[in-house]
Amino acid sequence: MTLTLDTVTLTYQDGDGRLTALDRVALDVPAGTMAAIVGPSGSGKSSLLAVAATLVTPDSGQVLVAGTSTGELSRAEKSALRRERVGIVFQQPNLLPSLTSAEQLHVMAHMDGRKPRQVRDRAHELLAAVGLADKADRRPHQLSGGQRQRVNIARALMNDPDVLLVDEPTSALDHERGAAVLDLIVRLTRERGTATVLVTHDRAHLTEADQVCEMTDGRLYVPAAA
Amino acid sequence: MFVASRDLRFAKGRFALMGAVVVLITLLVGLLSGLTAGLARENTSAVTGLPADHLAFAAPPDGQSVSFTNSSVTEKTWTNWSARPGVESAEPIGIRTLNAASGDHTAAVSAFGVEPAAGIAPPGLAPGAAVLSEQAAQELGVTAGDTVRIGSLEQRVAAVAGDASYSHTPVVWTSLDDWQRVGRSGAGTGGEATVVALTTTAGADLAAGDEAAGTETKSLDEALTAIGSYQAENGSLQLMRGFLFAISALVIGAFFTVWTMQRSADIAVLKALGAATPYLLKDALGQAVLMLVAGTGLGALLASGVGLLIGGGDVPFVLDPPTVLVPAAVMIALGALGAALSIRRITAVDPLTALGSAR
């Protein structure tokens, strides 16, 4: 398994008591497959992504990313793990305003100690894969919402991650563009062999997911067929 | 500096504005430094230029500091010092501000009376023959061979040499005997000179010498504080300079505080994507240093240009590496410190905010 959550529990301080965001969540996502997590707001979907991205340490349970147990990792080691093994597609594109589309990808390599010129070809290939080869020199304000989201996806794949975490990628897009973005994520998951977790409200485009899991009140219900 | 260098280009208006502030503060600090050094030179160059390492002042009353104005020493004092082990020479110097005149020209001068045969005496000095600094000669309109009246004494101008000045007046060197004939030294009684210039070796016991001679010895640098006008003037100017440095550090710190707050969403995204905190700090600090170096560099160049324009005239202005480069280096160091304190909030940015954060 490329991503494994083993009976993960996460609680937050909530006034005098504690709120359970994740309740003994278990999830296995093999390479080249996509798990879709659906559920209402506040059900714990974002907490699941945050735990899988090592941005939050669970109270109990184990998170394995590409075989690495994340529980004992230092903050710097978690940063390195995210840089090298995890790609995150944010709900909003979250592109850096001063960087061009190509540079949004170059910065990923730069953070990893590589020179941008060493990764130009890969950035170009990824921008071509998301249909933006001709928009490499555009800054975010010069792109449409759908184009920004595609740069967001390409950036997440820049360091060739084992795990791809996708947070509501179509929430700011119309139906047609949302469908195109989901198709793109599915295609890239298959082609690049990532273990993809897709958090979404939109049930209309889940037919391509290998497993569709329901999240309610911090509990994850994985269908037996998955 | 991958993101920082692109931010500099992207937000060039904001950085140009802040850079302009740095340029102007550096220009102001540079001009103030040149002026401070120029005024200091006019105040002290006769003392700092003495071929001696210490000056022995008459010991002041308890609770008071030594001063050239109040110091008065007798022959016994310098003969006592001359006999001390480790003292190579002990030469009396009389210092007094007087009016000098030649024809229609008059000028306030500082008369430095020394023994003509002493090592500290300028060449050509003799009883009845004075050596004038260039500025004194210029103000009095005299050259070598002319006659000049210094106080009540008529003196032949033996030579015109050097640019020594003391307490903002040009120096005129006279023999000690002539200087003593002009009047008594300082406020003391029986004074035959103002201070004793000492040339010592490492083994000299200055404290014991002071006790035996009834003096208080200061190095040449320490002795500058005994010039009343220098202490007040230099203190005020250095205070202004210090405030300018502090203001620049605060302004730069405030700018980068606001800038870092504005960038906190971007920083959260970069952290979520795996950027290590040291990477982000280096990036941000590099940006600050780059802006500071460019701003102070331009400011220092402008200060040098203005200094070149005004330095040769009546304005006492010193243009040299210490007056230009040192303030610039201090500006960069303090500005970087201000920026570093501001951008440390990068460490507190939570990458979790990038998940679900709206842009």
Side-chain angles (χ1 to χ4, degrees):
Chain A
M1 296 300 168
T2 303
L3 174 66
T4 300
L5 275 69
D6 182 13
T7 55
V8 169
T9 296
L10 175 69
T11 61
Y12 293 117
Q13 191 71 40
D14 183 31
D16 291 336
R18 292 193 75 82
L19 177 75
T20 302
L22 297 177
D23 188 1
R24 289 162 289 161
V25 166
L27 177 68
D28 289 326
V29 187
T33 69
M34 184 169 83
I37 314 290
V38 292
S41 293
S43 60
K45 303 190 299 294
S46 294
S47 295
L48 187 149
L49 273 191
V51 165
T54 72
L55 295 173
V56 174
T57 304
D59 299 355
S60 63
Q62 201 176 20
V63 178
L64 291 161
V65 175
T68 302
S69 176
T70 62
E72 301 300 318
L73 297 181
S74 66
R75 189 180 292 184
E77 288 168 334
K78 284 179 180 172
S79 292
L81 187 74
R82 283 199 300 278
R83 216 160 49 228
E84 294 161 7
R85 298 296 182 90
V86 180
I88 301 177
V89 178
F90 299 101
Q91 183 174 359
Q92 300 294 329
N94 282 354
L95 301 180
L96 304 182
S98 63
L99 306 190
T100 64
S101 301
E103 288 167 346
Q104 306 282 349
L105 276 63
H106 293 165
V107 74
M108 297 298 297
H110 193 261
M111 288 190 313
D112 211 22
R114 286 173 287 162
K115 302 279 183 199
R117 65 171 177 276
Q118 295 174 303
V119 294
R120 249 177 220 145
D121 290 346
R122 174 157 179 80
H124 184 77
E125 178 223 332
L126 283 168
L127 284 176
V130 298
L132 291 174
D134 59 335
K135 302 283 191 291
D137 295 330
R138 300 279 179 90
R139 290 206 169 85
H141 68 276
Q142 297 168 315
L143 299 172
S144 68
Q147 288 169 336
R148 284 199 286 270
Q149 194 58 290
R150 282 189 275 159
V151 175
N152 187 16
I153 294 167
R155 177 176 64 182
L157 294 167
M158 184 61 188
N159 285 351
D160 201 14
D162 298 293
V163 172
L164 186 63
L165 305 173
V166 187
D167 185 15
E168 304 270 14
T170 61
S171 62
L173 304 176
D174 60 34
H175 181 78
E176 190 180 343
R177 286 175 179 169
V181 164
L182 277 176
D183 288 346
L184 178 64
I185 290 168
V186 171
R187 178 165 63 81
L188 293 171
T189 297
R190 306 277 185 253
E191 286 176 5
R192 295 174 188 275
T194 59
T196 301
V197 176
L198 169 72
V199 164
T200 182
H201 276 103
D202 191 351
R203 292 170 179 272
H205 302 288
L206 298 180
T207 50
E208 295 288 341
D210 298 284
Q211 48 180 333
V212 178
C213 310
E214 284 275 346
M215 191 114 208
T216 308
D217 294 334
R219 292 195 173 183
L220 187 69
Y221 298 96
V222 182
Chain B
M1 264 190 52
F2 187 86
V3 179
S5 61
R6 284 151 183 86
D7 278 347
L8 280 171
R9 278 205 307 263
F10 186 69
K12 48 183 173 288
R14 270 172 283 186
F15 280 100
L17 204 60
M18 191 59 223
V21 171
V22 173
V23 168
L24 290 174
I25 293 178
T26 308
L27 173 62
L28 197 55
V29 171
L31 292 178
L32 196 60
S33 299
L35 192 64
T36 303
L39 289 169
R41 187 178 61 186
E42 281 198 346
N43 240 330
T44 64
S45 63
V47 175
T48 55
L50 287 171
D53 49 59
H54 286 83
L55 294 179
F57 293 79
D62 284 347
Q64 290 187 23
S65 302
V66 294
S67 81
F68 282 97
T69 311
N70 294 332
S71 178
S72 178
V73 294
T74 62
E75 186 171 359
K76 189 179 165 191
T77 310
W78 62 84
T79 51
N80 197 318
W81 269 109
S82 297
R84 301 290 309 173
V87 175
E88 291 179 347
S89 72
E91 303 290 351
I93 305 176
I95 302 172
R96 182 178 298 121
T97 301
L98 297 165
N99 278 320
S102 175
D104 295 337
H105 295 86
T106 59
V109 297
S110 288
F112 272 50
V114 295
E115 297 285 4
I120 60 173
L125 187 69
V131 174
L132 273 61
S133 66
E134 286 169 6
Q135 192 189 340
Q138 190 184 348
E139 289 184 17
L140 293 167
V142 296
T143 57
D146 291 346
T147 302
V148 64
R149 186 171 54 77
I150 300 168
S152 57
L153 291 179
E154 289 288 329
Q155 296 270 295
R156 182 175 57 82
V157 178
V160 174
D163 58 357
S165 64
Y166 171 85
S167 196
H168 294 298
T169 52
V171 166
V172 172
W173 298 89
T174 68
S175 72
L176 187 62
D177 286 342
D178 289 339
W179 181 88
Q180 286 168 345
R181 280 199 289 149
V182 175
R184 299 178 83 83
S185 166
T189 55
E192 294 161 3
T194 305
V195 292
V196 181
L198 304 173
T199 303
T200 60
T201 60
D205 186 346
L206 298 177
D210 277 338
E211 197 171 333
T215 57
E216 186 170 325
T217 303
K218 301 284 185 188
S219 69
L220 288 188
D221 284 343
E222 290 169 345
L224 300 183
T225 58
I227 306 172
S229 58
Y230 172 78
Q231 203 172 5
E233 182 182 274
N234 194 56
S236 305
L237 289 167
Q238 294 294 2
L239 188 68
M240 287 162 66
R241 217 160 67 121
F243 270 114
L244 277 174
F245 284 135
I247 288 167
S248 69
L250 283 174
V251 169
I252 291 162
F255 173 78
F256 278 100
T257 298
V258 174
W259 178 241
T260 305
M261 285 166 70
Q262 287 180 343
R263 288 184 65 226
S264 57
D266 293 344
I267 292 162
V269 168
L270 287 168
K271 278 189 168 184
L273 292 173
T277 299
Y279 172 88
L280 294 170
L281 287 173
K282 208 165 78 177
D283 196 63
L285 193 60
Q287 187 179 56
V289 169
L290 195 65
M291 189 196 72
L292 280 165
V293 167
T296 50
L298 188 57
L301 272 177
L302 285 173
S304 302
V306 175
L308 275 176
L309 284 175
I310 65 173
D314 292 336
V315 180
F317 193 92
V318 172
L319 180 64
D320 58 15
T323 59
V324 176
L325 297 181
V326 172
V330 173
M331 281 283 295
I332 291 170
L334 287 179
L337 180 68
L341 291 174
S342 306
I343 62 178
R344 80 188 191 287
R345 67 180 56 234
I346 283 175
T347 59
V349 173
D350 187 353
L352 196 56
T353 58
L355 280 180
S357 65
R359 174 81 48 86

